[in-house]
């Protein structure tokens, strides 16, 4: 849920239905409006067993210690149901909205996760000397009075941390340091090309036998069910056009770079040209049906059932379904749960 309290009643009913049907988790995110934690806290108070995934908490918007405090608090209030999801967003949002430097995402991930793990573990007072974070802080403007502290809240030491990484090095880092990965969208057919080699490299770095058996590969998968296939594809095309064409500057759009990895060089360029020149409808129309069908579940129930078989046969361990349709939830529950 990114915006609008006007959507909250319908969204909450959908979440309650998902819990009733036996879905494992519900996920929310944040951009530059509503924050992810307030909404998940509200959901946690209204539900009893469904897990609460932050997909994602913008790292630069919170210190690692604040993120850990938030995680432990919400996890404690919901009987251990919270899942941390971290991401760097993009420079337009971080510098344009939060007013802080974007920095180096991979270095920030490494330090951020390390600090959060130390806080969760509570084995000793927190000290950290990195390139992005120094705890206690002793840099310019410091009073010199900072001291290492240990959390006074005894939280769960094994709270799971996921990352929203789509670059090769980011995927490798996730496999090395995190408990799961949250691709914004993907196709099972892309797994061997982009994900597998980098995941395996990260697992080797992690050691201790870490593998996909100990890691949640959890892409976001939109589902629009209906008899009119073109109508079902339309919202997915709109979303893809936005992310590939307009979610970031021309010189710094991670989603545009991402789709180029799968043979969509010309499409990536075309969507960016159209979207950034204000021709959003043309950008949406330019998204090919084959791309929609690769990354989403769309169309009549029987067609979705057939599409789902491809996902179920893939290395994907969790599908984070994006839908506003209770009937789609019920159909997927019958097919999967």
């Amino acid at each position: 849920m990114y915006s609008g309290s006007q959507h909250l009643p319908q969204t909450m009913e959908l979440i309650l239905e998902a819990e009733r049907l036996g879905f494992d988790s519900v996920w929310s995110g944040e951009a530059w409006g509503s924050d992810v934690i307030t909404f998940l806290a509200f959901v946690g108070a209204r539900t009893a067993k469904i897990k609460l995934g932050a997909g994602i908490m913008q790292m630069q918007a919170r210190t690692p210690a604040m993120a850990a405090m938030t995680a432990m608090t919400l996890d404690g209030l919901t009987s251990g149901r919270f899942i941390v999801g971290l991401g760097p967003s993009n420079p337009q949002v971080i510098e344009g909205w939060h007013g802080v430097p974007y920095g180096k995402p991979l270095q920030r991930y490494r330090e951020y996760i390390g600090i959060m793990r130390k806080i969760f573990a509570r084995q000793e007072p927190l000290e950290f000397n990195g390139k992005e974070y120094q705890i206690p802080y002793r840099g310019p403007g410091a009073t010199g009075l900072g001291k290492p502290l240990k959390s006074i809240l005894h939280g769960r030491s094994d709270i799971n941390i996921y990352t929203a990484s789509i670059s090769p090095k980011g995927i490798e880092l996730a496999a090395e340091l995190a408990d799961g990965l949250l691709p914004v969208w993907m196709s099972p057919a892309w797994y061997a090309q982009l994900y597998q080699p980098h995941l395996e490299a990260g697992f080797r770095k992690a050691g201790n036998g870490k593998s996909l058996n100990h890691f949640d590969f959890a892409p976001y998968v939109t589902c629009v069910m209906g008899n009119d296939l073109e109508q079902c594809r339309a919202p997915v095309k709109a979303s893809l056009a936005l992310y590939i064409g307009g979610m970031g500057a021309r010189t710094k759009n991670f989603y545009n770079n991402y789709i180029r990895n799968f043979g969509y060089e010309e499409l990536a360029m075309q969507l960016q040209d159209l979207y950034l020149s204000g021709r959003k409808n043309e950008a949406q129309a330019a998204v090919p049906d084959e791309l929609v069908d690769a990354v989403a579940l769309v169309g009549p129930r029987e067609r979705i059932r057939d599409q789902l078989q491809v996902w179920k046969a893939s290395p994907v361990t969790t599908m984070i379904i994006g839908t506003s349709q209770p009937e789609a939830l019920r159909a997927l529950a019958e097919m999967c749960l």
Side-chain angles (χ1 to χ4, degrees), residues 292-337:
V292 175
D293 294 346
V295 304
L297 301 172
V298 291
R301 178 190 175 104
E302 296 73 20
R303 189 175 191 274
I304 287 176
R305 181 197 60 211
D306 293 341
Q307 289 178 301
L308 191 59
Q309 299 311 308
V310 178
W311 288 90
K312 291 169 72 172
S314 77
V316 168
T317 49
T318 296
M319 296 172 69
I320 300 178
I321 299 295
T323 188
S324 60
Q325 301 173 294
E327 62 272 24
L329 282 183
R330 296 181 193 119
L332 290 171
E334 291 177 16
M335 296 173 193
C336 294
L337 301 178

Side-chain angles (χ1 to χ4, degrees), residues 136-322:
Y137 177 70
R138 296 186 177 88
T143 64
L145 301 176
K147 60 177 291 186
L149 299 170
K150 184 189 294 187
S151 171
I152 57 177
L153 178 63
H154 292 241
R156 249 191 328 128
S157 62
D158 60 348
I159 296 176
N160 282 343
I161 300 175
Y162 290 42
T163 72
S165 303
I166 53 177
S167 71
K169 287 295 183 183
I171 294 165
E172 181 178 320
L173 183 140
E176 178 190 356
L177 300 177
D179 301 296
L181 180 65
L182 302 166
V184 60
W185 22 259
M186 66 158 288
S187 165
W190 300 349
Y191 178 78
Q193 180 182 352
L194 178 63
Y195 290 96
Q196 185 174 11
H198 308 300
L199 287 171
E200 289 178 353
F203 293 147
R204 286 194 296 271
K205 284 186 177 180
N208 296 320
K210 189 175 184 182
S211 70
L212 205 57
N213 295 327
H214 315 92
F215 188 81
D216 193 10
F217 186 57
Y220 178 88
V221 184
T222 300
C223 180
V224 186
M225 192 169 70
N227 292 326
D228 188 327
L229 181 55
E230 290 309 306
Q231 188 175 9
C232 291
R233 284 177 175 142
V236 184
K237 289 187 177 186
S239 177
L240 289 168
L242 166 63
Y243 275 82
I244 298 168
M247 193 63 79
R250 182 177 292 276
T251 57
K252 201 79 168 179
N253 181 326
F254 303 120
Y255 309 104
N256 192 277
N257 292 339
Y258 177 57
I259 204 68
R260 290 171 185 263
N261 293 327
F262 307 108
Y264 290 100
E265 288 270 355
E266 290 186 12
L267 178 66
M269 187 180 304
Q270 179 188 16
L271 293 182
Q272 196 167 59
D273 288 343
L274 290 170
Y275 211 94
L276 296 182
S277 63
R279 297 149 68 188
K280 297 179 182 179
N281 291 338
E282 290 181 55
Q284 178 178 334
V287 176
D289 293 346
E290 68 171 49
L291 179 57
V292 175
D293 294 346
V295 304
L297 301 172
V298 291
R301 178 190 175 104
E302 296 73 20
R303 189 175 191 274
I304 287 176
R305 181 197 60 211
D306 293 341
Q307 289 178 301
L308 191 59
Q309 299 311 308
V310 178
W311 288 90
K312 291 169 72 172
S314 77
V316 168
T317 49
T318 296
M319 296 172 69
I320 300 178
I321 299 295

Side-chain angles (χ1 to χ4, degrees), residues 44-182:
R46 296 283 308 277
T47 56
K49 58 185 179 181
I50 199 165
K51 295 174 187 173
L52 310 167
I56 50 85
M57 302 165 73
Q58 297 168 343
M59 289 188 289
Q60 298 90 329
R62 304 168 179 85
T63 66
M66 186 70 248
M69 290 167 62
T70 300
M72 290 189 297
T73 303
L74 185 49
D75 190 69
L77 289 171
T78 58
S79 303
R81 289 190 281 146
F82 185 60
I83 304 170
V84 175
L86 300 175
S89 190
N90 65 58
Q92 285 189 323
V93 173
I94 297 306
E95 296 181 2
W97 180 251
H98 293 295
V100 296
Y102 185 70
K104 298 179 178 180
L106 294 182
Q107 183 65 33
R108 189 181 299 274
Y109 265 137
R110 186 171 293 280
E111 296 187 16
Y112 211 98
I113 293 171
I115 293 168
M116 292 187 73
R117 300 275 198 213
K118 283 176 175 282
I119 292 173
F120 293 160
R122 290 192 79 256
Q123 293 179 350
E124 58 189 7
L126 178 63
E127 293 188 78
F128 192 89
N129 186 27
K131 295 178 180 178
E132 297 282 340
Y133 300 100
Q134 301 83 43
I135 304 173
Y137 177 70
R138 296 186 177 88
T143 64
L145 301 176
K147 60 177 291 186
L149 299 170
K150 184 189 294 187
S151 171
I152 57 177
L153 178 63
H154 292 241
R156 249 191 328 128
S157 62
D158 60 348
I159 296 176
N160 282 343
I161 300 175
Y162 290 42
T163 72
S165 303
I166 53 177
S167 71
K169 287 295 183 183
I171 294 165
E172 181 178 320
L173 183 140
E176 178 190 356
L177 300 177
D179 301 296
L181 180 65
L182 302 166

